[in-house]
Amino acid sequence: MKYVERTLKPVRHVLRILLLGEETSFTEWAIFSLLFGIYLGYSLAIVETYGTTVVLEWTRFSHDNTAHLYIPRTIIDNGEQSKLANLGVVWLPLYHLVIATFTLVNILYYTGLAGSLVNIFFTASAAVLLYRIVRGKLGIIASIVYGLNMYTVLHASSSYMVPIGQFLALASVYYFEKYLETNLKREAVKSIVYGILATISRYEAWIPIFLMFIIFSLRESFKTKYSTALAYSNLYLWGFAGWLLYNMVIFNNPLQFIHHPSVGASGYYLMVLRKIMFPLEINCLNIASTTLTLAGPVILLTILVIFPILESRKNILPLTIYVSPLIFLLAEGPELLIKDHPLYFYFLLPFILTLSFKPLNVFIKYLKKKNMGKALAATYIVVLAILAFQTLYELNKHASVFQEINSTYHDYLEYHKYAETLANYLSQTGGYILYSSLIGSYRFSVVAAISPRVIFDEYDLPPYLNVSKNPWNYNVTIVILPSPTLYWNIRESATALIGEENYMTLFYENSKWRTLFLKHYYKYTSYNNLEIYLRKT
C-alpha cells in the first residue's frame, strides 16, 4: 500500500492544486488515476486503430470536433490574421484558449489528442469532485457510474468542449455548498473563481452560477451592509461581464453572440423560448425521461426518500442548485423524447447523478440514526449499486462505438483521400486555398494537418473579402465551391457574414464574375457536395 501511495503522490499534488489547496485522499487519487488511464488508453486505441480520434466526427457520437481544433489554432497560427477575434461568438472561449498551444503540435492536431489530453484531465477530475460531493461508498459508486459511462469516455477521448465546463460548474457548486455548510468566505471565493471560469466555458453553467449569485447576495445582506454584500456577490458575474465586454470590443455589440448570423442565434433563442412555453406536462415528461435514462431506477429511490431528507433544511438549497441546470432540458421541447442517445444532454450527467446519490447518502445516515442497523444500510447500498451498474450497462450497450466507427470508416477514408490530395497539390504549388468555413475549411485543415495560414476563409477577415473578389491576384491555386444545392442551403449565412461579395455568391449569382473566374480556374473534380477548381497554368 505504501508503494502505491508513493506512486500516486504526483496525482495528490495535481489534485491539490486543482482543488485550490485542499488535501485529497487515497481514494480520490485512485479514482483519478484509474479513469485517467482508461481515457488515455481509449484515445490511443482509437488513434492506433483508425489514425485519429477525429474519425468520431463521421459517427453519431461526435459533432464539431474538427472545429474545436481548428478555431484555437487560428488564434496563434493564422499568419497576420492570428487574433483573439478568431474565437468568434458561436462558442464560449475558454476551452479553445486552453488547447490553443497544443494544436500547434501537428501530431496532436490531426490525431485530435490536442483536445483529448485536456478533456481526459478534466473528466477524471470531475469524477473526483462527484465522489467528494456524494461522499462515502455511494460517492465511489457515483464516480464510477459517471466515469465509466461510455458517453463520458467519448467526451474525454475526443475534442468536445463539454468536459472543462462540466468540471468548472460542478466545482463552483461544490464549493458553494461548502460555504453554505461552514459560512467560510474562503469557500465562497473558491466557488466564485470556478464560477467565473465556468460562465466562459458552457452556457449550461449560467443558470446555477446566476442562482448562486442571488443566494449569496441575499445571505450576505443579512450579515453585512447590502451594498457590501452586493459588491462581493457581483464577482460571480465577472464571467458574464467579460463575455459581454469581449463581444463589445471585438464586434461592437455586447450581444453579438445572440445575433451572430452564421448560426442564426437570435432565431435559435426564440425557438428555445417557444419550446419552453410547451405545456407543463410535456416539459415535466422531458425532464423525467432524461433523468431516468441517465440515472435509471436509482432516481426513483431518491424520490421515495425525499421527505426524510427535507427534514433537514440545509439540504434544500444545495439540491436546488444541483437541479437548476436541468432547466436546459426544456429547450429541447418534445423532440428530446425521440433522441436515440443522451449525447445531447451529457453536460447534465454529474448533476443528475448527484441528485440521484447524494440524497440517498443522507437517507442511509437517517436509517442509522433511527437505529435501523448497519446491515440494512449495507443492503441498501448493494441494491443501489446493482441498479446503478445495470443502468450503466444498458447505456454502454447502446453506445457501440467501435461498431459504429467501422460502419462509417469508409466515409472518413474517402474524405482523408480528398483532403490529402488537396494538401499535396498545395505543397507542390506553394499556393493558397480559398475554402469557406461554411463548407468545411476546418475539417480539411485538421484531417490534412494543414496550417490555417494557407487557407483563406472567414477567419481571415477583412482580407478574406478581397481574396473572395479576386482570388487570382492572391496566389490562390485551389478554390472549393459548394454544389448549387448546397449553396442555396447556406446562402443566407454566407451573405449575412460578409455580404454578397463572397466568392460563392459571386460565382452563382454574378455571371460576369463567373466568366472572369473561369478564365483563371478550371473544374478539377467533385467530392460529395463540393466542387474543386484548380488554377490554370
Side-chain angles (χ1 to χ4, degrees):
M1 180 62 75
K2 287 184 178 179
Y3 174 76
V4 175
E5 287 186 8
R6 283 199 301 270
T7 305
L8 295 179
K9 197 171 183 179
V11 177
R12 171 193 174 189
H13 294 307
V14 169
L15 288 177
R16 190 171 184 181
I17 293 170
L18 193 65
L19 297 174
L20 303 180
E22 287 201 7
E23 193 54 77
T24 51
S25 66
F26 175 79
T27 303
E28 291 165 332
W29 312 341
I31 290 172
F32 181 90
S33 302
L34 173 67
L35 294 179
F36 190 96
I38 289 172
Y39 301 150
L40 182 60
Y42 194 84
S43 299
L44 295 177
I46 294 177
V47 172
E48 174 66 24
T49 308
Y50 304 105
T52 175
T53 62
V54 172
V55 71
L56 288 166
E57 187 147 323
W58 277 258
T59 72
R60 66 187 169 98
F61 298 112
S62 180
H63 305 286
D64 303 318
N65 267 271
T66 49
H68 292 316
L69 292 164
Y70 181 70
I71 291 172
R73 189 154 177 174
T74 64
I75 303 170
I76 51 181
D77 185 34
N78 199 25
E80 293 181 1
Q81 302 309 311
S82 301
K83 54 193 176 186
L84 281 177
N86 287 340
L87 288 168
V89 294
V90 176
W91 288 292
L92 289 164
L94 186 64
Y95 177 69
H96 293 154
L97 289 170
V98 170
I99 74 167
T101 52
F102 293 105
T103 62
L104 289 176
V105 183
N106 246 11
I107 192 171
L108 298 181
Y109 185 56
Y110 72 79
T111 61
L113 291 175
S116 301
L117 292 175
V118 172
N119 286 345
I120 287 168
F121 176 78
F122 282 105
T123 305
S125 301
V128 172
L129 266 180
L130 191 57
Y131 166 75
R132 284 196 154 216
I133 290 167
V134 177
R135 301 170 189 172
K137 295 180 178 65
L138 287 183
I140 296 175
I141 296 172
S143 65
I144 292 174
V145 170
Y146 163 77
L148 297 185
N149 184 311
M150 187 49 65
Y151 297 99
T152 301
V153 177
L154 281 169
H155 277 77
S157 306
S158 64
S159 301
Y160 273 113
M161 63 186 303
V162 175
I164 188 170
Q166 196 179 61
F167 166 78
L168 292 169
L170 201 61
S172 183
V173 179
Y174 164 68
Y175 283 114
F176 190 77
E177 182 184 7
K178 291 191 71 175
Y179 156 73
L180 293 176
E181 291 174 356
T182 62
N183 284 319
L184 294 175
K185 288 280 178 51
R186 69 168 180 267
E187 304 298 346
V189 170
K190 292 176 184 177
S191 173
I192 288 169
V193 169
Y194 282 119
I196 291 171
L197 295 174
T199 53
I200 55 173
S201 301
R202 292 294 297 180
Y203 288 113
E204 295 96 326
W206 287 18
I207 292 177
I209 301 302
F210 190 68
L211 185 58
M212 287 186 289
F213 157 72
I214 294 173
I215 295 171
F216 187 73
S217 301
L218 295 174
R219 188 181 174 93
E220 289 299 314
S221 64
F222 290 110
K223 301 176 185 178
T224 61
K225 290 182 180 179
Y226 181 75
S227 57
T228 305
L230 189 61
Y232 198 24
S233 61
N234 276 342
L235 294 174
Y236 269 113
L237 304 182
W238 279 23
F240 300 104
W243 180 233
L244 297 178
L245 181 63
Y246 164 81
N247 278 256
M248 183 65 193
V249 170
I250 303 295
F251 302 102
N252 298 317
N253 182 355
L255 298 178
Q256 179 68 13
F257 68 98
I258 293 178
H259 301 298
H260 192 268
S262 71
V263 291
S266 56
Y268 170 76
Y269 290 125
L270 287 173
M271 177 187 70
V272 167
L273 287 173
R274 284 198 298 271
K275 287 182 175 180
I276 290 176
M277 298 308 291
F278 269 92
L280 180 62
E281 62 272 17
I282 292 181
N283 283 329
C284 288
L285 187 59
N286 287 337
I287 293 178
S289 63
T290 303
T291 307
L292 190 60
T293 299
L294 288 172
V298 175
I299 195 71
L300 298 179
L301 294 180
T302 301
I303 295 169
L304 292 175
V305 303
I306 201 72
F307 294 106
I309 292 162
L310 296 181
E311 277 187 359
S312 174
R313 292 185 181 180
K314 69 179 183 180
N315 291 311
I316 298 175
L317 275 181
L319 289 175
T320 302
I321 298 169
Y322 284 117
V323 81
S324 64
L326 271 65
I327 293 173
F328 266 83
L329 295 176
L330 305 182
E332 294 287 349
E335 296 170 14
L336 189 64
L337 299 176
I338 60 172
K339 299 291 187 189
D340 66 342
H341 57 85
L343 190 66
Y344 295 95
F345 40 86
Y346 166 76
F347 178 89
L348 305 173
L349 178 60
F351 293 92
I352 289 175
L353 290 176
T354 297
L355 292 169
S356 301
F357 285 96
K358 189 176 179 65
L360 297 175
N361 221 349
V362 176
F363 184 61
I364 288 172
K365 292 178 182 177
Y366 176 83
L367 290 178
K368 293 178 179 178
K369 183 180 177 182
K370 297 295 182 180
N371 296 319
M372 296 184 181
K374 290 185 178 180
L376 181 59
T379 304
Y380 196 74
I381 291 174
V382 170
V383 171
L384 288 174
I386 292 171
L387 292 174
F389 288 116
Q390 172 63 20
T391 302
L392 179 64
Y393 170 75
E394 292 297 329
L395 279 170
N396 288 358
K397 186 173 68 174
H398 187 58
S400 50
V401 181
F402 280 98
Q403 182 179 340
E404 181 136 353
I405 295 176
N406 287 332
S407 68
T408 59
Y409 188 48
H410 175 75
D411 297 332
Y412 166 75
L413 288 178
E414 284 294 311
Y415 186 87
H416 185 271
K417 182 179 178 182
Y418 150 79
E420 198 171 47
T421 301
L422 297 183
N424 289 337
Y425 187 80
L426 282 175
S427 177
Q428 292 168 12
T429 60
Y432 296 89
I433 182 171
L434 181 57
Y435 199 155
S436 171
S437 63
L438 295 174
I439 55 176
S441 61
Y442 49 86
R443 182 176 288 185
F444 163 69
S445 173
V446 174
V447 173
I450 288 289
S451 167
R453 64 175 62 237
V454 299
I455 301 171
F456 283 117
D457 61 9
E458 287 78 3
Y459 292 93
D460 294 293
L461 289 170
Y464 175 66
L465 186 57
N466 293 326
V467 178
S468 265
K469 290 187 287 188
N470 305 288
W472 46 85
N473 291 337
Y474 291 88
N475 194 26
V476 172
T477 56
I478 304 176
V479 177
I480 309 297
L481 281 157
S483 66
T485 303
L486 177 58
Y487 169 71
W488 290 107
N489 285 335
I490 65 171
R491 183 188 184 280
E492 184 178 352
S493 295
T495 55
L497 276 172
I498 61 171
E500 296 189 355
E501 293 190 324
N502 72 83
Y503 75 100
M504 296 177 290
T505 301
L506 288 170
F507 182 86
Y508 282 106
E509 300 184 45
N510 187 322
S511 58
K512 289 183 179 179
W513 188 91
R514 184 169 62 253
T515 301
L516 183 59
F517 174 82
L518 292 175
K519 285 182 179 180
H520 296 276
Y521 297 90
Y522 69 96
K523 185 175 178 180
Y524 171 66
T525 188
S526 297
Y527 172 78
N528 285 348
N529 283 316
L530 301 176
E531 297 182 354
I532 296 93
Y533 284 79
L534 301 182
R535 182 76 180 266
K536 292 179 180 179
T537 57

